[in-house]
Amino acid sequence: MRPLTPTRFVEFDPKTLSELEGRAVVQITPEGTLGQAARTANRLTKGAIARLVEAKSFEKTKAGDVISLAWPAGMKVEALDVLVTPRKLTATEARKAGAKLAALGGGKTITVLAGSMVKAADLALGMALRDYRFDAHKSSQDSTVGEIVIAHKSPAETETAFAPMAAVAEGVHMTRDLVNEPANVLTTTEFANRLVEMEALGLEVEVLEEAELAELGMRTLLSVGQGSDSPSKVVVMRWNGGAADAAPLALVGKGVVFDTGGISLKPAGGMEDMTMDMGGAGVVAGTMRALALRKAKANVVGLVGLVENMPSGNATRPGDVVTSMKGGTVEIINTDAEGRLVLCDVMWYAQERFKPAGMIDLATLTGAIIIGLGHENAGVFSNDDGFCNAFLKAAAAEGEGAWRMPLGKAYDDQLKSRIADMKNVGGRPAGSITAAQFLQRFVKDGTPWIHLDIAGVASVKSATDYAPKGATGWGVMALSRMVQDLYEDR
Ligand code: BES
Ligand code: MN
Ligand code: ZN
């Protein structure tokens, strides 16, 4: 993966402003009050910032806007970026401001004259998150920011605050790379290899191959991958940063590297988007990376089911009946409802082997969740209010949209099968909820569980606050924070 743009923290000194190269960032308030560096810049430019504030157009300027003055007189920089924000920024305002600055790209150094800004580390995080491109398959690379310099009155403290944030940003970038990667490159084998590479970060990584999965009885998972030439795999990643006897949090991800729908073939239009159907596994991978990089004091195990859903002479047919690892039978009405067939075996295995303190699964599971919640919120389903609220709180703090959805027996009844213990679809009504009900049948009594349907948020067609269009990395920040809130801050 492309490394994060290097970020340096240096002592704040407005006297250096005239000599800086690339771009320089100074702060003014929406009321037009100039910060210390802005006053210096105003003097160097013989009043350019004062004229900007007095101009009629400044009345329309909102907090969070960036006004760029190109080739300012009296300075060496190519552009002076005037950041309009309240004097005291919240963490979210600082992140959004950083993201706006990073979106300017340009391949040069950006020096942010942050002075005594309390949330300067968050501003740097916003820059790191937004300073992302997926250009691995382009012959000419788009430029990101060349180098980020934060000039601050307490550079060492700001740098210390930024270190765990950089770990999380790197996890987000990894998730995005995996989700953006096409399926001929990111095969199940390549995906597993990229996870094994994370052993270098101190994670324990195991790859379970088809023979072992068959031995374990994971027939529903194997039924999804059996039409593909790429072998199905389950990868287990363990981060043991907590007490030796503490039960881990289990993260389980749907990793369908491509979803054609199988014999229940999807229509051609938009099918290329199904390269992102491993988004749940991508978030699990990125979160494990973040936890390892920031050396989280918690035990977390990440499991991903890696399969490809293809039609072929060996593919599962609609009407086939398969037995899950748990032991019940499933009538496969629609081979395009494959995610739940992958997850149910991996979730069962996770609980049998690790007896987790809690389990969170993530999946680009249903188109129906996009109809319900659009691209703003992931669907959240849970059997435990306390556990669920901890996630919702973490997601809100990180600005990752998440909205709780209901579960209930009447929905579960939609899964009754004439010939098997259950069927894999519950019909058109409440498609996301019946998918969650299917999964809940594989959650043991007493395991706090959250299911996150991320079909609408994993990859989007227009840029978000923190990401260019394409993969967002949604969930890595919320999960990393939840791990900290629940298991580290004690
Ligand atoms: N991977 C899809 C869900 C999806 C749709 C993800 C759009 C991202 C964007 C999933 O495997 C699927 O095909 N679900 C079906 C379920 C149906 C057959 C019950 C769906 O949503 O149509
Ligand atoms: Mn499908
Ligand atoms: Zn799918």
Side-chain angles (χ1 to χ4, degrees):
M1 67 187 270
R2 185 170 176 155
L4 292 186
T5 300
T7 303
R8 284 198 294 127
F9 296 84
V10 303
E11 189 74 37
F12 175 76
D13 179 4
K15 286 198 292 297
T16 59
L17 194 50
S18 59
E19 296 302 312
L20 293 177
E21 290 179 16
R23 313 183 75 101
V25 181
V26 299
Q27 193 187 353
I28 69 173
T29 71
E31 296 75 40
T33 307
L34 277 55
Q36 192 183 347
R39 288 198 298 275
T40 306
N42 190 47
R43 195 160 30 72
L44 290 170
T45 57
K46 297 201 165 61
I49 301 183
R51 290 174 60 203
L52 180 163
V53 168
E54 281 149 26
K56 187 88 184 128
S57 59
F58 190 71
E59 286 167 20
K60 291 206 199 77
T61 303
K62 304 178 301 299
D65 286 355
V66 175
I67 302 164
S68 294
L69 307 180
W71 310 107
M75 302 176 70
K76 285 192 181 158
V77 288
E78 291 180 11
L80 177 63
D81 299 315
V82 181
L83 174 62
V84 184
T85 60
R87 195 192 296 275
K88 282 214 170 59
L89 295 155
T90 64
T92 302
E93 287 167 343
R95 288 181 188 190
K96 286 190 178 165
K100 276 232 171 117
L101 295 170
L104 298 170
K108 303 277 170 60
T109 297
I110 295 188
T111 304
V112 182
L113 291 122
S116 54
M117 185 191 289
V118 180
K119 297 294 179 191
D122 282 281
L123 185 142
L125 171 61
M127 293 188 80
L129 290 170
R130 185 61 182 77
D131 196 32
Y132 173 84
R133 302 280 188 285
F134 185 71
D135 50 16
H137 307 297
K138 289 194 176 194
S139 29
S140 70
Q141 263 68 41
D142 296 345
S143 53
T144 52
V145 177
E147 187 196 20
I148 296 168
V149 180
I150 308 289
H152 199 276
K153 286 183 178 162
S154 310
E157 269 172 42
T158 310
E159 184 163 13
T160 305
F162 179 63
M165 298 183 187
V168 174
E170 192 175 319
V172 170
H173 283 211
M174 181 190 197
T175 300
R176 290 179 188 166
D177 280 355
L178 290 167
V179 171
N180 282 326
E181 199 70 273
N184 61 328
V185 176
L186 194 74
T187 59
T188 54
T189 302
E190 171 65 15
F191 200 147
N193 289 345
R194 291 193 190 185
L195 300 182
V196 170
E197 279 174 20
M198 290 206 291
E199 284 179 337
L201 306 176
L203 287 163
E204 287 170 24
V205 185
E206 268 169 75
V207 182
L208 307 182
E209 304 290 349
E210 277 181 358
E212 293 158 276
L213 302 178
E215 190 72 26
L216 286 163
M218 292 201 198
R219 301 244 62 102
T220 61
L221 181 145
L222 289 167
S223 77
V224 176
Q226 73 191 35
S228 169
D229 286 345
S230 293
S232 299
K233 294 170 196 277
V234 170
V235 181
V236 181
M237 295 162 270
R238 302 180 73 176
W239 174 252
N240 301 314
D245 59 345
L249 171 70
L251 303 177
V252 177
K254 168 181 173 181
V256 176
V257 295
F258 195 78
D259 181 13
T260 63
I263 299 297
S264 312
L265 194 63
K266 287 183 182 293
M271 201 203 276
E272 69 281 5
D273 290 342
M274 286 303 117
T275 56
M276 54 76 103
D277 208 22
M278 33 52 66
V283 174
V284 173
T287 303
M288 296 309 290
R289 187 181 196 92
L291 296 175
L293 286 170
R294 70 174 184 77
K295 302 211 173 357
K297 293 188 178 56
N299 296 337
V300 181
V301 53
L303 301 100
V304 294
L306 306 179
V307 302
E308 186 177 39
N309 189 18
M310 295 287 266
S312 90
N314 303 321
T316 295
R317 291 161 288 259
D320 283 3
V321 174
V322 293
T323 304
S324 73
M325 180 179 172
K326 181 185 172 190
T329 54
V330 182
E331 183 188 9
I332 299 178
I333 301 292
N334 189 322
T335 64
D336 197 11
E338 84 296 342
R340 61 200 78 180
L341 300 171
V342 174
L343 285 170
C344 70
D345 272 344
V346 183
M347 285 165 56
W348 192 255
Y349 175 72
Q351 293 167 96
E352 289 274 275
R353 179 165 169 198
F354 296 107
K355 316 265 178 301
M359 176 166 70
I360 304 178
D361 78 79
L362 296 105
T364 49
L365 201 63
T366 66
I369 202 70
I370 309 177
I371 304 305
L373 299 176
H375 301 285
E376 314 305 324
N377 285 288
V380 181
F381 302 82
S382 181
N383 63 358
D384 185 302
D385 293 347
F387 193 52
C388 186
N389 288 337
F391 178 79
L392 293 171
K393 184 169 157 248
E398 298 293 345
E400 294 181 324
W403 193 261
R404 190 163 180 185
M405 302 282 287
L407 291 164
K409 172 153 189 322
Y411 299 112
D412 196 68
D413 289 344
Q414 289 177 228
L415 296 171
K416 280 188 183 136
S417 161
R418 184 176 59 83
I419 62 161
D421 297 330
M422 67 188 96
K423 53 185 184 180
N424 76 328
V425 291
R428 291 255 299 161
S432 304
I433 306 177
T434 54
Q437 291 296 156
F438 182 96
L439 296 178
Q440 191 174 13
R441 290 178 176 225
F442 299 85
V443 178
K444 293 189 178 183
D445 281 343
T447 304
W449 160 73
I450 297 171
H451 158 56
L452 298 172
D453 192 336
I454 63 170
V457 295
S459 184
V460 294
K461 303 257 181 247
S462 49
T464 65
D465 283 342
Y466 300 119
K469 61 180 99 162
T472 61
W474 182 98
V476 173
M477 296 200 293
L479 289 170
S480 174
R481 179 180 283 257
M482 184 184 183
V483 166
Q484 178 164 349
D485 290 348
L486 281 190
Y487 307 102
E488 299 182 83
D489 288 347
R490 281 202 298 197

